[in-house]
Amino acid sequence: MSTLEKTQLQLGYIPLLDCLALLWAKQQGFFEEVGLDVTLVKEASWASLRDRLAFGLLDAAHCLSAMLPAAAVGADQIGIALQTPLILSKNRAFISLNQKLVHQLAINENEDAQTTAQKVTSYIKSDHSLSLAHVFKHSIHHYCLREWLALADSKIAQTLKLKALPPPYMVEALDNHVIDGFCVGEPWNTQGELLGLSKIVCSSQDIIPNVADKVLAVTQEWAEQHPQTLIALTTAIIKAQKELSDLKDFSPVLKLLVDFGIVRFHCSEEVHVDKYYMIQNIVKNLVKENAAPQPEDFHWLFEQMQKWDELQIDQAQITSLGAQCINLEAYEQAKQRYSS
């Protein structure tokens, strides 16, 4: 194995199911196997994680995919280029609404996304206020909410003001009547349902393409200075992803999620059984088959920034900047090292 440029790493994450590969790699000793001493750092919000990653307080992080194109064009007001060698999850968000509102709008289970959007926009057009939250401006969650509303009313989709809240605070904000609904990753939608506060009304998979949601991210400068360390880090997480997707016994995974305060409700093969298997299924399918970041993921994100954030950028720039968001060499070498 090549000499590592750095062995002691600070690895940031936000409490969500799709940070699990990082936690599992740490617990199972996969980082140590590749010569790394990794400290996991729980961040309070995506904004704090982004800032601490950009300014070098974190070496790498579980990161929103849309943060990379935002950094590439300086839309994050920092402009420090980020790269990813690895996708951690694809298109795994849900839209949840206050249960009282779901009843009031007569939203039925299994209604399609367009129907639920029509009911919500009709409610807004009837002079009712509605407060929806996403996790961060530069996220698939933001664009998912916009695209969902646009299925029924493009003007409302463009003009409705959305709040940004850290994922773990979504349910609390709904309970305190600060918001009426949210788009967030799991397990926070399930948390809201089990508390009797919210109801999932649609999935991002029914609204937007199958694009990267979370990625392993580093700054471009860090990647250039620590190429062998990045390969080792990526190798350990790929091993964790593979093991999680193939696990027959889910109980140790659930225990880890509970221990880290990510799952805060009781579920098992005996209690809340459907939720237990839903979480298990999401974990096993966070990334299907290929975890290599693709240019198309970032092209779509740039196009969403054009559409909803008024970004002025041409197709040639989208192609060029999209390629700069990806460190495919690190992925390929990590994949090869894992396979050998």
Side-chain angles (χ1 to χ4, degrees):
M1 184 178 291
S2 302
T3 303
L4 301 179
E5 301 85 7
K6 186 175 184 180
T7 57
Q8 293 189 320
L9 304 183
Q10 301 286 311
L11 183 55
Y13 72 95
I14 294 287
L16 289 155
L17 289 188
D18 52 24
C19 76
L20 180 58
L22 281 60
L23 311 186
W24 193 253
K26 173 70 173 178
Q27 176 174 282
Q28 299 300 101
F30 298 160
F31 293 131
E32 288 83 352
E33 287 178 8
V34 296
L36 297 176
D37 178 10
V38 170
T39 300
L40 296 172
V41 182
K42 182 171 73 172
E43 292 292 341
S45 69
W46 287 117
S48 69
L49 180 145
R50 176 204 61 188
D51 293 353
R52 284 165 55 80
L53 178 64
F55 294 117
L57 298 172
L58 296 172
D59 294 287
H62 160 238
C63 199
L64 292 162
S65 59
M67 286 180 171
L68 279 64
V73 296
D76 61 354
Q77 299 180 325
I78 298 175
I80 294 175
L82 303 175
Q83 284 188 343
T84 178
L86 187 67
I87 293 174
L88 298 175
S89 67
K90 282 192 171 186
N91 200 4
R92 283 288 171 179
F94 295 90
I95 296 173
S96 292
L97 297 177
N98 178 299
Q99 284 199 13
K100 182 180 178 181
L101 181 63
V102 169
H103 180 75
Q104 189 175 343
L105 298 183
I107 293 175
N108 301 311
E109 204 165 345
N110 300 322
E111 283 186 331
D112 63 29
Q114 184 169 6
T115 302
T116 58
Q118 286 170 342
K119 290 181 176 182
V120 167
T121 54
S122 295
Y123 178 78
I124 295 170
K125 285 187 280 192
S126 300
D127 290 329
H128 293 99
S129 63
L130 187 73
S131 180
L132 299 176
H134 53 67
V135 301
F136 196 70
K137 180 180 180 181
H138 300 121
S139 67
I140 71 161
H141 312 74
H142 173 202
Y143 304 129
C144 182
L145 279 175
R146 298 286 184 200
E147 292 289 343
W148 174 57
L149 294 169
L151 292 172
D153 192 301
S154 57
K155 183 178 179 181
I156 287 176
Q158 186 68 256
T159 58
L160 187 69
K161 290 185 178 180
L162 302 175
K163 288 184 169 69
L165 292 169
Y169 295 100
M170 290 291 189
V171 176
E172 182 181 343
L174 194 103
D175 191 22
N176 292 330
H177 307 290
V178 174
I179 57 174
D180 303 299
F182 48 74
C183 183
V184 70
E186 280 289 75
W188 303 109
N189 300 277
T190 296
Q191 172 89 6
E193 286 202 346
L194 291 180
L195 289 173
L197 296 169
S198 60
K199 188 76 175 173
I200 295 172
V201 296
C202 56
S203 165
S204 61
Q205 294 181 348
D206 300 324
I207 302 166
I208 62 175
N210 191 36
V211 296
D213 179 357
K214 310 298 189 319
V215 298
L216 175 68
V218 296
T219 66
Q220 183 176 314
E221 181 181 19
W222 196 96
E224 291 168 354
Q225 292 175 351
H226 308 91
Q228 295 304 320
T229 302
L230 182 58
I231 292 166
L233 178 65
T234 306
T235 301
I237 299 173
I238 287 174
K239 183 173 181 178
Q241 287 181 324
K242 178 63 175 172
E243 192 164 286
L244 287 166
S245 67
D246 293 341
L247 268 183
K248 298 296 186 285
D249 181 8
F250 187 65
S251 56
V253 177
L254 183 61
K255 182 179 185 305
L256 184 65
L257 291 167
V258 171
D259 289 346
F260 273 82
I262 296 171
V263 170
R264 302 180 184 180
F265 48 85
H266 182 47
C267 67
S268 68
E269 292 178 293
E270 288 79 32
V271 179
H272 298 311
V273 178
D274 57 338
K275 302 300 185 186
Y276 174 83
Y277 283 107
M278 176 187 177
I279 291 171
Q280 178 178 277
N281 183 60
I282 289 173
V283 165
K284 287 189 172 186
N285 293 282
L286 285 168
V287 180
K288 291 183 179 178
E289 299 171 10
N290 189 4
Q294 302 297 320
E296 293 77 15
D297 294 329
F298 297 97
H299 296 171
W300 182 83
L301 290 165
F302 277 117
E303 288 162 1
Q304 288 292 298
M305 292 172 71
Q306 280 182 310
K307 184 174 182 179
W308 303 112
D309 304 333
E310 299 181 347
L311 174 67
Q312 300 297 315
I313 188 172
D314 60 35
Q315 193 58 48
Q317 288 174 299
I318 287 176
T319 301
S320 173
L321 292 173
Q324 291 174 36
C325 292
I326 295 171
N327 191 325
L328 202 54
E329 183 179 354
Y331 173 82
E332 294 294 350
Q333 292 196 41
K335 185 75 171 180
Q336 184 177 2
R337 186 173 296 177
Y338 164 71
S339 299
S340 61

